[in-house]
């Protein structure tokens, strides 16, 4: 099969009345790729997903999902190959978990035989499958939501805040399932408003703010683009040594006498470390702290806000 | 079609789970049986016509009860699912919006039909057991009454769906449902009666009166059952109206069918434009 992109968006915009939810977004998702879509609540992530699901039409631009217009006549074909987990997933409380999954499998035209196994894989044991959803905890509902998104080997998975309410073990299990699907050629789009959790999971990150795509790339690229200072934490023995280090780099003296924080650009961190070691001060420890994902994320958002602010 | 049936089956199971089916069927059966046995008291035990009396009482009851049941079932159908977010998930599946609507409607209609047929049927069977030969004569009228009751329920289901598809808020939908019931079931006839009395029956041409009666599904149902057959009409005191009017049973059934299809079509249109 020719490797056509799973999702191809060119200049897609969506306006609800006066509110511009999505503003000319370009996005390409390839098969076998796990992409994280990050942004505040209201940044346009959910609107973008609804566009990909074909629930709304873009006001401008073109959007193709699995080679078709998701809101056009081929919509049913697209949705049969698509898994979706909405934020705050809801089910009919009167059904049992298994009945619910069987219902969705029938709608998708997938055999229901494998459903008990699928539910067990996401962490709903057999006895829980036979209980009504009304008695489920938030985490159990989330697991049921995941299982319905995984029905029928989807080629595109759209997951909106997939790991809320999951404990760390289940979270690891969930990401293992996602990796497995990705390695078999599925495209996974993870939406989140926190970046930290996605470290090591996403091949690529797309940052959105106010309906616009503000940054895109793998985590390393984003780090370089943000060009945030690296912190070098120098562990010293005593206040005297601390003051010496502070004076050497002309930073304000830091009380405590245990550690001194220095900052430098990405490219300068090696030379800084070398220089610190050459100071001749008794060091207890040396730690290089790269900017955290949340800091990078906050950086992109604040930059965008500054650009939008009325001058 | 499979999609629609899957959704309908789910709706029926929901109805069984939350006891809607049981409650409605029991209510209908209890009232029907009460009317069947108490209702024959005024005519004594003269076997003939006992079923006709029951038909008159039952259809008068149906006009009040069935629209209420149908509206209660349907007012939440669309707006509730959108509100809870289950509609968003459902529509992310290969399900067209009209299919989601048709499936839910079919499920609700099955609940109403089952409750009506089982509830009223039990009264019919009880009457047949006590007076077999009399019941046999009235069977066609009784069957027509049950059938048209389902049709009346379907019409009010459609109206409820329309209300549910148009509004943004569940409370509003509930308010509209109650309003529809009040206006169509209670106030409309009073207004019509007042108009007739005020003009001493002269001001309104017969054609307009017919049109006004068709413009309300409850009235179309009333005419169909209370004036439909001579034997029933005598008891109902509607023979005069039926003789005067030019409305054939076929026209009345057609009017009821229109009341089923038109609001449902509009509901589908409203849902297709709705922002989910």
């Amino acid at each position: 099969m020719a490797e056509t992109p799973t999702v191809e968006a060119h200049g897609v915009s969506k306006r609800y009345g006066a509110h511009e939810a999505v503003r000319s977004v370009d996005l390409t998702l390839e098969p076998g790729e796990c992409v994280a879509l990050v942004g505040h609540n209201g940044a346009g992530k959910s609107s973008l997903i609804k566009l990909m699901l074909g629930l709304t039409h873009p006001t401008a631009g073109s959007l193709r999902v699995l080679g078709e217009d998701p809101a056009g006549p081929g919509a049913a074909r697209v949705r049969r190959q698509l898994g979706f987990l909405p934020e705050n997933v809801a089910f009919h409380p009167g059904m049992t978990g298994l009945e619910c999954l069987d219902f969705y499998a029938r709608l998708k035209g997938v055999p229901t035989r494998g459903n008990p196994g699928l539910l067990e894989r996401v962490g709903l044991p057999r006895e829980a499958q036979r209980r009504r959803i009304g008695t489920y905890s938030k985490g159990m509902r989330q697991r049921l939501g995941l299982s319905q998104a995984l029905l029928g080997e989807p080629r595109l998975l759209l997951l909106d805040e997939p790991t809320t309410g999951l404990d760390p073990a289940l979270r690891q299990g969930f990401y293992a399932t996602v990796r497995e699907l990705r390695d078999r050629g599925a495209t996974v789009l993870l939406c989140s408003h926190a970046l930290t959790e996605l470290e090591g999971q996403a091949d690529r990150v797309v940052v959105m703010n106010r309906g616009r795509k503000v940054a895109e790339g793998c985590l390393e690229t984003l780090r370089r683009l943000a060009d945030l200072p690296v912190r070098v934490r120098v562990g010293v023995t005593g206040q005297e040594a601390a003051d010496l280090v502070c004076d050497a780099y002309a930073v304000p003296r830091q009380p405590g006498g245990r550690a001194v924080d220095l900052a430098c650009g990405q490219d300068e961190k090696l030379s800084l470390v070398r220089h610190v070691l050459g100071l001749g001060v008794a060091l207890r420890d040396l730690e290089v702290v790269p900017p955290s994902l949340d800091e990078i994320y906050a950086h992109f958002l604040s930059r965008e806000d500054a650009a939008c602010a009325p001058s | 079609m499979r999609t629609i049936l899957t959704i309908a089956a789910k709706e029926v199971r929901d109805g069984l789970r939350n006891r809607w089916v049981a409650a409605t069927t029991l209510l209908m059966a209890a009232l029907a049986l009460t009317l069947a046995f108490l209702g024959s008291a005024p005519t004594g035990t003269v076997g003939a016509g006992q079923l006709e009396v029951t038909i008159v009482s039952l259809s008068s009851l149906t006009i009040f009860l069935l629209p209420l049941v149908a509206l209660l079932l349907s007012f939440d159908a669309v707006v509730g699912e959108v509100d809870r977010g289950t509609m968003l998930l459902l529509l992310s599946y290969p399900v067209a919006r009209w299919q989601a609507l048709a499936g839910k409607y079919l499920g609700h209609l099955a609940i109403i039909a089952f409750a009506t047929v089982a509830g009223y049927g039990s009264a019919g069977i009880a009457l047949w057991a006590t007076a077999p030969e009399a019941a046999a004569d009235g069977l066609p009228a009784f069957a027509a009454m049950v059938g048209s009751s389902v049709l009346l329920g379907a019409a009010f289901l459609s109206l409820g769906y329309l209300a549910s598809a148009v509004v943004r808020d569940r409370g509003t939908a509930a308010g509209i449902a109650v309003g529809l019931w009040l206006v169509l079931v209670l106030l409309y006839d009073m207004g019509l009666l007042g108009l007739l009395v005020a003009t001493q029956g002269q001001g309104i041409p017969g054609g307009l009166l017919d049109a006004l009666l068709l413009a309300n599904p409850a009235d179309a149902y009333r005419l169909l059952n209370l004036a439909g057959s001579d034997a029933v009409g005598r008891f109902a005191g509607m023979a005069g109206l039926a003789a005067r009017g030019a409305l054939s049973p076929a026209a009345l059934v057609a009017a009821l069918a229109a009341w089923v299809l038109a609001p449902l079509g509009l509901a589908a249109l409203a849902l297709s434009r709705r922002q989910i």
Side-chain angles (χ1 to χ4, degrees):
Chain A
M1 198 196 304
E3 291 272 332
T4 51
T6 315
V7 175
E8 236 182 326
H10 293 294
V12 167
S13 298
K14 177 69 194 174
R15 205 174 47 237
Y16 295 111
H19 173 63
E20 279 205 72
V22 179
R23 304 182 206 207
S24 96
V25 167
D26 295 305
L27 187 67
T28 310
L29 306 180
E30 303 288 344
E33 192 179 35
C34 179
V35 178
L37 188 60
V38 199
H40 288 315
N41 290 325
K45 292 172 293 169
S46 296
S47 300
L48 199 56
I49 286 192
K50 279 181 193 172
L51 285 168
M52 289 183 203
L53 288 169
L55 293 174
T56 50
H57 294 269
T59 3
S62 81
L63 175 66
R64 302 199 76 67
V65 175
L66 297 164
E68 309 227 25
D69 173 8
R77 218 169 324 141
V78 173
R79 290 184 202 157
R80 211 161 281 134
Q81 307 178 56
L82 190 146
F84 169 51
L85 173 67
E87 188 182 5
N88 302 324
V89 66
F91 298 104
H92 294 273
M95 288 184 171
T96 70
L98 189 58
E99 280 169 352
C100 184
L101 194 61
D102 285 353
F103 168 65
Y104 285 114
R106 258 179 244 123
L107 286 182
K108 225 173 188 176
V110 174
T112 53
R113 255 177 296 113
N115 286 353
L118 176 57
L119 283 170
E120 254 172 299
R121 198 143 57 92
V122 297
L124 277 180
R126 303 239 167 191
E127 49 90 19
Q129 294 174 15
R130 287 178 211 298
R131 286 213 329 256
R132 293 203 186 171
I133 298 168
T135 67
Y136 280 17
S137 66
K138 169 94 178 77
M140 289 167 85
R141 277 203 294 276
Q142 190 70 12
R143 279 172 254 168
L144 182 58
L146 278 176
S147 69
Q148 65 79 27
L150 298 175
L151 276 171
E153 186 91 2
R155 282 175 58 201
L156 172 61
L157 265 174
L158 303 172
L159 306 171
D160 205 345
E161 302 288 344
T163 53
T164 39
L166 296 189
D167 62 46
L170 284 167
R171 204 170 281 209
Q172 290 308 314
F174 161 72
Y175 281 123
T177 313
V178 165
R179 270 196 300 277
E180 200 182 295
L181 277 164
R182 185 197 63 186
D183 294 344
R184 272 187 276 162
T187 306
V188 184
L189 186 68
L190 295 169
C191 278
S192 182
H193 46 239
L195 248 178
T196 316
E197 190 193 304
L198 298 169
E199 177 141 48
Q201 311 298 344
D203 304 318
R204 195 146 59 89
V205 178
V206 174
V207 185
M208 281 190 77
N209 193 22
R210 297 166 190 248
R212 232 184 277 278
K213 187 173 83 174
V214 294
E216 180 177 7
C218 65
L219 288 174
E220 274 320 305
T221 315
L222 289 188
R223 259 199 189 109
R224 217 177 46 240
L225 281 176
D227 197 26
L228 288 178
V230 175
R231 275 185 304 139
V232 176
R233 170 161 289 199
V234 186
V236 289
T237 48
Q239 189 61 46
E240 214 169 301
D243 292 348
L244 261 170
V245 175
C246 285
D247 292 347
Y249 295 100
V251 292
R253 290 187 172 184
Q254 298 167 21
R258 290 192 54 76
V260 174
D261 282 339
L262 301 172
C264 69
Q266 281 283 355
D267 310 334
E268 301 154 13
K269 81 185 162 202
L270 275 179
S271 53
L272 177 69
V273 168
R274 241 179 251 124
H275 194 262
V276 169
L277 292 173
L279 273 181
V281 181
L283 297 185
R284 187 170 50 79
D285 190 16
L286 192 68
E287 211 178 342
V288 178
V289 188
S292 79
L293 289 169
D294 280 335
E295 281 167 344
I296 294 171
Y297 173 41
H299 165 81
F300 280 113
L301 295 189
S302 64
R303 196 181 60 172
E304 179 72 7
D305 286 346
C308 286
S311 48
Chain B
M1 197 61 211
R2 241 183 58 122
T3 307
I4 296 177
L5 288 179
T6 304
I7 297 173
K10 198 218 82 188
E11 213 57 50
V12 170
R13 186 165 48 192
D14 272 1
L16 289 171
R17 284 282 158 81
N18 59 27
R19 312 274 190 279
W20 252 104
V21 176
T24 322
T25 311
L26 278 178
L27 182 69
M28 301 283 248
L31 287 171
L33 284 169
T34 313
L35 284 176
F37 288 106
L38 293 183
S40 59
T43 59
T45 43
V46 239
Q50 201 186 1
L51 194 69
E52 280 80 1
V53 176
T54 309
I55 291 175
V56 171
S57 342
L58 273 185
S59 44
S60 304
L61 168 76
T62 306
I63 288 178
F64 289 96
L65 188 63
L66 215 53
L68 192 63
V69 171
L71 287 170
L72 282 179
L73 263 178
S74 59
F75 82 87
D76 203 27
V78 176
V79 71
E81 292 235 14
V82 173
D83 219 32
R84 284 192 296 271
T86 44
M87 189 62 92
L88 176 64
L89 188 58
L90 184 64
L91 292 180
S92 78
Y93 277 77
V95 176
R97 294 191 182 196
W98 69 269
Q99 286 177 318
L101 191 81
K104 286 181 68 70
Y105 183 84
L106 211 59
H108 280 149
L109 184 59
I111 292 176
I112 293 250
F114 176 79
T116 312
V117 172
Y120 289 0
S122 65
I125 289 170
L127 282 175
W128 174 77
T130 49
E133 62 290 339
D137 293 339
L139 191 64
F142 192 79
M145 190 270 287
V146 174
S148 57
S149 297
V150 175
L151 207 54
L152 178 71
F156 275 90
L157 267 186
S158 287
L159 286 168
Y161 267 73
L162 178 56
S164 194
V166 171
V167 302
R168 305 222 143 273
D169 186 77
R170 298 168 85 170
T172 320
I176 291 177
V178 172
L180 277 173
W181 185 78
L182 272 177
V183 169
L184 293 181
V185 174
L186 295 180
L187 302 178
Y188 193 86
D189 281 355
M190 280 187 211
L192 208 53
L193 203 62
L195 202 61
L196 282 173
V197 170
T199 59
Q200 298 184 325
Q202 302 302 315
I204 307 176
L208 180 61
L209 183 64
D210 286 346
L212 284 173
L213 288 172
L214 287 180
N216 180 348
D219 276 330
Y221 171 85
R222 201 193 311 266
L223 275 184
L224 186 60
N225 282 288
L226 300 188
S229 86
D230 286 347
V232 176
R234 258 200 309 283
F235 285 107
M238 296 272 281
L241 189 55
R244 218 195 110 192
L247 295 170
S248 66
L252 293 168
V253 171
L256 278 175
W259 274 107
V260 173
L261 296 177
L264 195 61
L266 289 175
L269 188 69
L271 181 61
S272 74
R273 300 197 167 171
R274 195 178 173 120
Q275 185 189 314
I276 300 293

